[in-house]
Amino acid sequence: MKTTETKKASTKKAPAKQSGAKTASKGRTVKAKSDAAEGLRELFVDSLKDIYWAEKALTKALPKMAKNATSENLISAINEHLTVTQGQVERLEQVFKILGEKAAAKKCDAMEGLIKEGESIMEETQQGPVRDAGIISASQKIEHYEIASYGTLAAFALTLNEEDAAALLQQTLEEEKEADTILTEAAYNTINFDATEEDQQSEE
């Protein structure tokens, strides 16, 4: 006959299996590349190379957007921003020079993805107000990415006491904010309303 203590021992549940190994693999530390940045200055220069690639890629993407747009206001806004973007590329080259670095581009995965998304939107819409609205949507996503990038770069420059570089980056940041405002006005004032009217007509 089992004693009370033995009964108690036999009714104890076995401890739950630990899933520590699985959890650890999900939240493990990312291994840095051999050429990974170790200091803020290196990260700053690396980020400049990233946005330099992005701006140069944008100078090729904007003419395609303008060609596919139909609104005169939108076409004008895109062409104006193309000129501004070309100036921003030159400004980044000045920043590299101030830092004593060679102007070099490093592929920007984010900008590549945003440009591809814009191309996809154009492929999936008929030319007219609806495509114009799609082009504005894609353009504003690009602007928001650039605003975030230049804001960070300007902050890095100030932290590193690179005031001349910070001033140039801040100038570009203001231009990106202005471009975003122009696109918003174009969307709300005419293009989105025209796109809505086109939808209503197709339903009738």
Side-chain angles (χ1 to χ4, degrees), residues 15-90:
K17 289 184 179 179
Q18 297 296 320
S19 58
K22 200 177 257 188
T23 305
S25 65
K26 286 182 180 179
R28 65 187 173 204
T29 303
V30 176
K31 187 178 179 181
K33 293 180 180 179
S34 58
D35 61 345
E38 293 184 7
L40 182 60
R41 188 179 182 83
E42 287 179 80
L43 176 60
F44 177 46
V45 172
D46 194 59
S47 299
L48 283 171
K49 292 177 181 178
D50 195 73
I51 199 68
Y52 186 53
W53 186 97
E55 295 291 20
K56 292 181 87 171
L58 197 53
T59 60
K60 297 174 184 177
L62 287 172
K64 188 173 182 179
M65 288 183 178
K67 189 175 180 180
N68 279 275
T70 54
S71 162
E72 290 300 323
N73 287 341
L74 179 56
I75 294 169
S76 176
I78 293 171
N79 285 330
E80 282 178 20
H81 194 58
L82 172 60
T83 303
V84 171
T85 301
Q86 290 166 339
Q88 291 171 350
V89 170
E90 294 174 3

Side-chain angles (χ1 to χ4, degrees), residues 91 95 150-155 157-158 163-177:
R91 197 175 293 138
V95 173
Y150 281 108
T152 300
L153 287 167
L158 286 173
E163 293 182 6
D164 291 340
L168 291 172
L169 293 166
Q170 186 66 36
Q171 187 178 342
T172 299
L173 175 60
E174 296 307 319
E175 288 175 349
E176 301 296 3
K177 288 179 179 179

Side-chain angles (χ1 to χ4, degrees), residues 80-127:
E80 282 178 20
H81 194 58
L82 172 60
T83 303
V84 171
T85 301
Q86 290 166 339
Q88 291 171 350
V89 170
E90 294 174 3
R91 197 175 293 138
L92 282 169
E93 290 168 354
Q94 286 181 262
V95 173
F96 279 112
K97 190 173 181 180
I98 289 169
L99 299 174
E101 299 282 346
K102 181 183 177 182
K106 178 183 176 182
K107 185 179 177 182
C108 175
D109 294 331
M111 182 60 80
E112 183 184 44
L114 288 167
I115 289 173
K116 282 183 178 178
E117 184 178 348
E119 290 174 352
S120 177
I121 287 172
M122 289 188 284
E123 289 170 359
E124 293 168 3
T125 53
Q126 292 293 334
Q127 193 166 28

